[in-house]
PDB file of all heavy atoms in Angstrom:
ATOM      1  N   CYS D 118     -70.499 -15.397 -11.026  1.00  0.00           N
ATOM      2  CA  CYS D 118     -71.567 -16.393 -11.113  1.00  0.00           C
ATOM      3  C   CYS D 118     -71.237 -17.591 -10.223  1.00  0.00           C
ATOM      4  O   CYS D 118     -70.110 -18.105 -10.254  1.00  0.00           O
ATOM      5  CB  CYS D 118     -71.713 -16.837 -12.567  1.00  0.00           C
ATOM      6  SG  CYS D 118     -72.992 -18.071 -12.805  1.00  0.00           S
ATOM      7  N   PRO D 119     -72.212 -18.076  -9.445  1.00  0.00           N
ATOM      8  CA  PRO D 119     -71.935 -19.213  -8.555  1.00  0.00           C
ATOM      9  C   PRO D 119     -71.689 -20.520  -9.305  1.00  0.00           C
ATOM     10  O   PRO D 119     -71.234 -21.488  -8.703  1.00  0.00           O
ATOM     11  CB  PRO D 119     -73.201 -19.313  -7.696  1.00  0.00           C
ATOM     12  CG  PRO D 119     -74.244 -18.591  -8.446  1.00  0.00           C
ATOM     13  CD  PRO D 119     -73.569 -17.551  -9.272  1.00  0.00           C
ATOM     14  N   HIS D 120     -71.968 -20.530 -10.609  1.00  0.00           N
ATOM     15  CA  HIS D 120     -71.703 -21.765 -11.351  1.00  0.00           C
ATOM     16  C   HIS D 120     -70.201 -21.979 -11.546  1.00  0.00           C
ATOM     17  O   HIS D 120     -69.630 -22.903 -10.999  1.00  0.00           O
ATOM     18  CB  HIS D 120     -72.427 -21.737 -12.714  1.00  0.00           C
ATOM     19  CG  HIS D 120     -72.036 -22.883 -13.593  1.00  0.00           C
ATOM     20  ND1 HIS D 120     -71.749 -22.737 -14.921  1.00  0.00           N
ATOM     21  CD2 HIS D 120     -71.839 -24.189 -13.297  1.00  0.00           C
ATOM     22  CE1 HIS D 120     -71.408 -23.916 -15.416  1.00  0.00           C
ATOM     23  NE2 HIS D 120     -71.469 -24.809 -14.454  1.00  0.00           N
ATOM     24  N   ALA D 121     -69.577 -21.077 -12.341  1.00  0.00           N
ATOM     25  CA  ALA D 121     -68.153 -21.287 -12.627  1.00  0.00           C
ATOM     26  C   ALA D 121     -67.347 -20.001 -12.548  1.00  0.00           C
ATOM     27  O   ALA D 121     -66.198 -19.968 -12.976  1.00  0.00           O
ATOM     28  CB  ALA D 121     -67.983 -21.917 -14.002  1.00  0.00           C
ATOM     29  N   GLY D 122     -67.945 -18.948 -12.020  1.00  0.00           N
ATOM     30  CA  GLY D 122     -67.171 -17.750 -11.736  1.00  0.00           C
ATOM     31  C   GLY D 122     -67.101 -16.706 -12.835  1.00  0.00           C
ATOM     32  O   GLY D 122     -66.306 -15.772 -12.737  1.00  0.00           O
ATOM     33  N   CYS D 123     -67.916 -16.846 -13.898  1.00  0.00           N
ATOM     34  CA  CYS D 123     -67.959 -15.766 -14.896  1.00  0.00           C
ATOM     35  C   CYS D 123     -68.598 -14.528 -14.274  1.00  0.00           C
ATOM     36  O   CYS D 123     -69.341 -14.630 -13.302  1.00  0.00           O
ATOM     37  CB  CYS D 123     -68.783 -16.190 -16.104  1.00  0.00           C
ATOM     38  SG  CYS D 123     -68.003 -17.506 -17.047  1.00  0.00           S
ATOM     39  N   THR D 124     -68.312 -13.381 -14.863  1.00  0.00           N
ATOM     40  CA  THR D 124     -68.881 -12.146 -14.323  1.00  0.00           C
ATOM     41  C   THR D 124     -70.297 -11.931 -14.850  1.00  0.00           C
ATOM     42  O   THR D 124     -70.521 -11.879 -16.057  1.00  0.00           O
ATOM     43  CB  THR D 124     -67.990 -10.948 -14.700  1.00  0.00           C
ATOM     44  OG1 THR D 124     -66.707 -11.157 -14.115  1.00  0.00           O
ATOM     45  CG2 THR D 124     -68.563  -9.646 -14.177  1.00  0.00           C
ATOM     46  N   ILE D 125     -71.196 -11.818 -13.922  1.00  0.00           N
ATOM     47  CA  ILE D 125     -72.609 -11.627 -14.266  1.00  0.00           C
ATOM     48  C   ILE D 125     -72.814 -10.193 -14.745  1.00  0.00           C
ATOM     49  O   ILE D 125     -72.206  -9.258 -14.207  1.00  0.00           O
ATOM     50  CB  ILE D 125     -73.480 -11.929 -13.027  1.00  0.00           C
ATOM     51  CG1 ILE D 125     -73.380 -13.413 -12.663  1.00  0.00           C
ATOM     52  CG2 ILE D 125     -74.930 -11.514 -13.241  1.00  0.00           C
ATOM     53  CD1 ILE D 125     -73.964 -13.774 -11.323  1.00  0.00           C
ATOM     54  N   CYS D 144     -75.821 -14.246 -16.813  1.00  0.00           N
ATOM     55  CA  CYS D 144     -74.436 -14.721 -16.934  1.00  0.00           C
ATOM     56  C   CYS D 144     -74.152 -15.070 -18.391  1.00  0.00           C
ATOM     57  O   CYS D 144     -74.883 -15.872 -18.980  1.00  0.00           O
ATOM     58  CB  CYS D 144     -74.212 -15.931 -16.038  1.00  0.00           C
ATOM     59  SG  CYS D 144     -72.524 -16.544 -16.175  1.00  0.00           S
ATOM     60  N   PRO D 145     -73.124 -14.502 -18.993  1.00  0.00           N
ATOM     61  CA  PRO D 145     -72.868 -14.738 -20.416  1.00  0.00           C
ATOM     62  C   PRO D 145     -72.336 -16.132 -20.737  1.00  0.00           C
ATOM     63  O   PRO D 145     -72.418 -16.567 -21.880  1.00  0.00           O
ATOM     64  CB  PRO D 145     -71.816 -13.677 -20.756  1.00  0.00           C
ATOM     65  CG  PRO D 145     -71.092 -13.443 -19.478  1.00  0.00           C
ATOM     66  CD  PRO D 145     -72.093 -13.632 -18.388  1.00  0.00           C
ATOM     67  N   CYS D 146     -71.811 -16.835 -19.737  1.00  0.00           N
ATOM     68  CA  CYS D 146     -71.115 -18.093 -20.061  1.00  0.00           C
ATOM     69  C   CYS D 146     -72.079 -19.240 -20.373  1.00  0.00           C
ATOM     70  O   CYS D 146     -71.929 -19.916 -21.379  1.00  0.00           O
ATOM     71  CB  CYS D 146     -70.181 -18.475 -18.923  1.00  0.00           C
ATOM     72  SG  CYS D 146     -68.771 -17.365 -18.833  1.00  0.00           S
ATOM     73  N   HIS D 147     -73.054 -19.456 -19.489  1.00  0.00           N
ATOM     74  CA  HIS D 147     -73.990 -20.579 -19.720  1.00  0.00           C
ATOM     75  C   HIS D 147     -75.425 -20.093 -19.552  1.00  0.00           C
ATOM     76  O   HIS D 147     -76.294 -20.868 -19.165  1.00  0.00           O
ATOM     77  CB  HIS D 147     -73.680 -21.744 -18.769  1.00  0.00           C
ATOM     78  CG  HIS D 147     -72.230 -22.118 -18.754  1.00  0.00           C
ATOM     79  ND1 HIS D 147     -71.351 -21.669 -17.793  1.00  0.00           N
ATOM     80  CD2 HIS D 147     -71.483 -22.846 -19.617  1.00  0.00           C
ATOM     81  CE1 HIS D 147     -70.132 -22.136 -18.046  1.00  0.00           C
ATOM     82  NE2 HIS D 147     -70.189 -22.844 -19.148  1.00  0.00           N
ATOM     83  N   THR D 148     -75.617 -18.800 -19.823  1.00  0.00           N
ATOM     84  CA  THR D 148     -76.943 -18.141 -19.909  1.00  0.00           C
ATOM     85  C   THR D 148     -77.839 -18.338 -18.683  1.00  0.00           C
ATOM     86  O   THR D 148     -79.055 -18.440 -18.830  1.00  0.00           O
ATOM     87  CB  THR D 148     -77.707 -18.605 -21.177  1.00  0.00           C
ATOM     88  OG1 THR D 148     -77.982 -20.002 -21.087  1.00  0.00           O
ATOM     89  CG2 THR D 148     -76.916 -18.298 -22.435  1.00  0.00           C
ATOM     90  N   ALA D 149     -77.263 -18.388 -17.496  1.00  0.00           N
ATOM     91  CA  ALA D 149     -78.105 -18.386 -16.299  1.00  0.00           C
ATOM     92  C   ALA D 149     -78.676 -16.980 -16.111  1.00  0.00           C
ATOM     93  O   ALA D 149     -77.983 -15.987 -16.369  1.00  0.00           O
ATOM     94  CB  ALA D 149     -77.286 -18.790 -15.085  1.00  0.00           C
ATOM     95  N   PHE D 151     -80.941 -14.369 -13.405  1.00  0.00           N
ATOM     96  CA  PHE D 151     -81.325 -14.150 -12.005  1.00  0.00           C
ATOM     97  C   PHE D 151     -82.199 -12.897 -11.965  1.00  0.00           C
ATOM     98  O   PHE D 151     -81.949 -11.939 -12.719  1.00  0.00           O
ATOM     99  CB  PHE D 151     -80.090 -13.908 -11.129  1.00  0.00           C
ATOM    100  CG  PHE D 151     -79.010 -14.973 -11.244  1.00  0.00           C
ATOM    101  CD1 PHE D 151     -78.051 -14.918 -12.264  1.00  0.00           C
ATOM    102  CD2 PHE D 151     -78.940 -16.024 -10.334  1.00  0.00           C
ATOM    103  CE1 PHE D 151     -77.058 -15.879 -12.369  1.00  0.00           C
ATOM    104  CE2 PHE D 151     -77.939 -16.996 -10.434  1.00  0.00           C
ATOM    105  CZ  PHE D 151     -76.998 -16.928 -11.449  1.00  0.00           C
ATOM    106  N   LYS D 161     -80.977 -24.599 -14.085  1.00  0.00           N
ATOM    107  CA  LYS D 161     -80.219 -25.438 -15.011  1.00  0.00           C
ATOM    108  C   LYS D 161     -79.261 -26.285 -14.187  1.00  0.00           C
ATOM    109  O   LYS D 161     -78.824 -25.855 -13.124  1.00  0.00           O
ATOM    110  CB  LYS D 161     -79.394 -24.570 -15.963  1.00  0.00           C
ATOM    111  CG  LYS D 161     -80.235 -23.690 -16.842  1.00  0.00           C
ATOM    112  CD  LYS D 161     -79.363 -22.894 -17.765  1.00  0.00           C
ATOM    113  CE  LYS D 161     -80.243 -21.996 -18.616  1.00  0.00           C
ATOM    114  NZ  LYS D 161     -79.566 -21.392 -19.714  1.00  0.00           N
ATOM    115  N   ASP D 163     -76.295 -26.704 -14.534  1.00  0.00           N
ATOM    116  CA  ASP D 163     -74.970 -26.112 -14.348  1.00  0.00           C
ATOM    117  C   ASP D 163     -75.004 -24.765 -13.631  1.00  0.00           C
ATOM    118  O   ASP D 163     -73.994 -24.116 -13.483  1.00  0.00           O
ATOM    119  CB  ASP D 163     -74.242 -25.982 -15.693  1.00  0.00           C
ATOM    120  CG  ASP D 163     -75.039 -25.193 -16.711  1.00  0.00           C
ATOM    121  OD1 ASP D 163     -76.132 -24.721 -16.348  1.00  0.00           O
ATOM    122  OD2 ASP D 163     -74.567 -25.055 -17.838  1.00  0.00           O
ATOM    123  N   ALA D 164     -76.165 -24.268 -13.229  1.00  0.00           N
ATOM    124  CA  ALA D 164     -76.249 -23.023 -12.449  1.00  0.00           C
ATOM    125  C   ALA D 164     -76.842 -23.381 -11.096  1.00  0.00           C
ATOM    126  O   ALA D 164     -78.046 -23.488 -10.930  1.00  0.00           O
ATOM    127  CB  ALA D 164     -77.113 -22.002 -13.175  1.00  0.00           C
ATOM    128  N   PRO D 165     -75.990 -23.640 -10.112  1.00  0.00           N
ATOM    129  CA  PRO D 165     -76.430 -24.378  -8.935  1.00  0.00           C
ATOM    130  C   PRO D 165     -77.215 -23.603  -7.883  1.00  0.00           C
ATOM    131  O   PRO D 165     -77.879 -24.206  -7.059  1.00  0.00           O
ATOM    132  CB  PRO D 165     -75.112 -24.879  -8.342  1.00  0.00           C
ATOM    133  CG  PRO D 165     -74.110 -23.860  -8.749  1.00  0.00           C
ATOM    134  CD  PRO D 165     -74.564 -23.320 -10.054  1.00  0.00           C
TER     135      PRO D 165
HETATM  136  S1  FES H   1     -70.563 -19.488 -15.230  1.00  0.00           S
HETATM  137 FE1  FES H   1     -72.505 -18.546 -15.109  1.00  0.00          FE
HETATM  138  S2  FES H   1     -73.891 -19.985 -15.883  1.00  0.00           S
HETATM  139 FE2  FES H   1     -71.972 -20.949 -15.996  1.00  0.00          FE
END
Side-chain angles (χ1 to χ4, degrees):
C118 180
H120 172 224
C123 292
T124 298
I125 294 169
C144 180
C146 289
H147 311 97
T148 64
F151 307 85
K161 297 181 181 192
D163 56 2

